[in-house]
């Protein structure tokens, strides 16, 4: 299936702050994995009065590295793109040490209510202990010494996901919405495909020059990458629709064909992605289901 050219050439340079632009330094947490790639990128913006974006997991070593990089500078704001446990838990420790306010869209929550008897398979990945001082909404500006962050509502991967534009450098901190190394996970009920696709369209309408993602290296040509990413998602949607048309009425049957070349150990996660597409297709009246769309549901053409 055609899609974006993913770039996995990334050196995390664990244990040190990496200067990536005149205003921005990156510190990558040592939490690599199949969903975090080389680890979570925490960002320091500015020099004398900093913004700390996505301080990362509750890891004492990573927190110590952030505090050492902050040094004697003031911290104007601790800014959270979303509340998954690899991005937000360290905010409490940084706030306690610096007195800086924590800014976020809101608490962790699913993108939709759970159906009767439904269990959220990604519940453990949510930072349910997260607390914040100030709510940030779409278009809000956070200003510091020589820098500005403009919030962009980008739900889909997570209900409370925000990206943050840095107009001084024509850049965006894209969190987990758009990453150079892989597609973002969109898994109900935490995420929603309809929200994700609308957020892609929103970012495509902009003309930012560079993205700094939550994992891996930069997206250097966002316009082209976003168009290819959307085409990839639409290709997955067509594959799901093709399988339903062919008579595959269950998600496991669809996954076996659509993800035939993927490690079977990842088929569970693939099933959640298929469910996200099915939820969207059912809502649009293209596919019908017996009851609310569910991972163990049955599907047919509407």
């Amino acid at each position: 299936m055609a899609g974006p050219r993913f770039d996995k050439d990334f050196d995390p340079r664990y244990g040190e702050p990496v200067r990536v632009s005149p205003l921005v330094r990156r510190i990558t947490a040592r939490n690599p994995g199949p969903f975090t790639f080389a680890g979570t990128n925490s960002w320091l913006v500015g020099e004398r009065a900093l913004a700390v974006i996505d301080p990362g997991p509750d890891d004492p070593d990573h927190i110590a590295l952030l505090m050492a990089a902050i040094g004697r500078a003031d911290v104007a704001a601790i800014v959270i793109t979303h509340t998954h446990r690899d991005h937000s838990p360290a905010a409490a420790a940084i706030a306690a040490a610096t007195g800086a306010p924590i800014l976020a869209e809101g608490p962790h929550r699913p993108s939709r209510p759970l159906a009767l008897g439904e269990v959220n398979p990604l519940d453990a990945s949510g930072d349910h202990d997260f607390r914040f001082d100030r709510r940030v909404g779409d278009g809000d500006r956070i200003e510091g010494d020589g820098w500005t962050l403009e919030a962009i509502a980008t739900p889909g991967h997570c209900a409370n996901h925000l990206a943050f534009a840095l107009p001084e450098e024509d850049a965006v901190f894209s969190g987990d919405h758009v990453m150079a190394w892989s597609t973002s996970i969109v898994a109900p009920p935490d995420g929603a495909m309809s929200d994700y696709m609308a957020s892609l369209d929103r970012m495509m309408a902009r003309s930012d020059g560079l993205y700094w993602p939550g994992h891996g290296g930069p997206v250097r040509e966002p316009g082209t990458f976003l168009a290819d990413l959307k085409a990839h998602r639409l290709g997955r949607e067509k594959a799901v629709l093709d399988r339903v048309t062919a008579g595959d009425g269950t998600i496991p049957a669809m996954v076996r064909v659509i993800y035939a070349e993927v490690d079977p150990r990842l088929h569970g996660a693939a099933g959640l992605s298929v469910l996200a597409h099915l939820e969207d297709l059912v809502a649009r009246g293209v596919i019908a289901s017996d009851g609310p769309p569910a991972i163990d549901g049955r599907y047919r053409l509407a």
Side-chain angles (χ1 to χ4, degrees), residues 132-182:
F132 63 99
D133 300 294
R134 178 178 144 199
R135 188 180 296 272
V136 179
D138 184 58
D140 286 348
R141 294 165 63 93
I142 307 163
E143 297 183 347
D145 185 9
W147 53 264
T148 309
L149 296 175
E150 299 177 352
I152 310 166
T154 45
H157 170 69
C158 193
N160 63 1
H161 197 289
L162 295 171
F164 291 91
L166 178 65
E168 289 85 357
E169 293 191 343
D170 192 26
V172 169
F173 297 96
S174 58
D176 283 7
H177 178 58
V178 177
M179 300 176 288
W181 77 281
S182 176

Side-chain angles (χ1 to χ4, degrees), residues 238-249 254 287 299-301:
K238 182 179 183 302
V240 170
L241 185 56
D242 286 348
R243 294 320 308 160
V244 175
T245 302
D248 288 343
M254 298 178 210
I287 287 177
Y299 301 91
R300 63 188 182 281
L301 291 177

Side-chain angles (χ1 to χ4, degrees), residues 106-120:
H108 191 78
R109 62 189 185 277
S111 290
R112 58 160 175 79
L114 271 66
L116 183 65
E118 183 182 14
V119 175
N120 184 350

Side-chain angles (χ1 to χ4, degrees), residues 81-122:
T81 64
H82 65 293
T83 50
H84 281 150
R85 295 186 66 82
D86 55 324
H87 286 260
S88 57
I94 302 297
T98 65
I102 300 171
L103 281 58
E105 188 274 347
H108 191 78
R109 62 189 185 277
S111 290
R112 58 160 175 79
L114 271 66
L116 183 65
E118 183 182 14
V119 175
N120 184 350
L122 297 179

Side-chain angles (χ1 to χ4, degrees), residues 21-22 76 83 211 252:
S21 77
T83 50
Y211 287 1

Side-chain angles (χ1 to χ4, degrees), residues 204-217:
M204 289 175 67
R206 298 174 56 90
S207 57
D208 307 289
L210 182 75
Y211 287 1
W212 298 117
H215 306 275

Side-chain angles (χ1 to χ4, degrees), residues 240-266:
V240 170
L241 185 56
D242 286 348
R243 294 320 308 160
V244 175
T245 302
D248 288 343
T250 67
I251 288 176
M254 298 178 210
V255 168
R256 281 193 294 271
V257 177
I258 298 170
Y259 294 89
E261 297 180 1
V262 173
D263 186 334
R265 292 174 297 179
L266 300 177

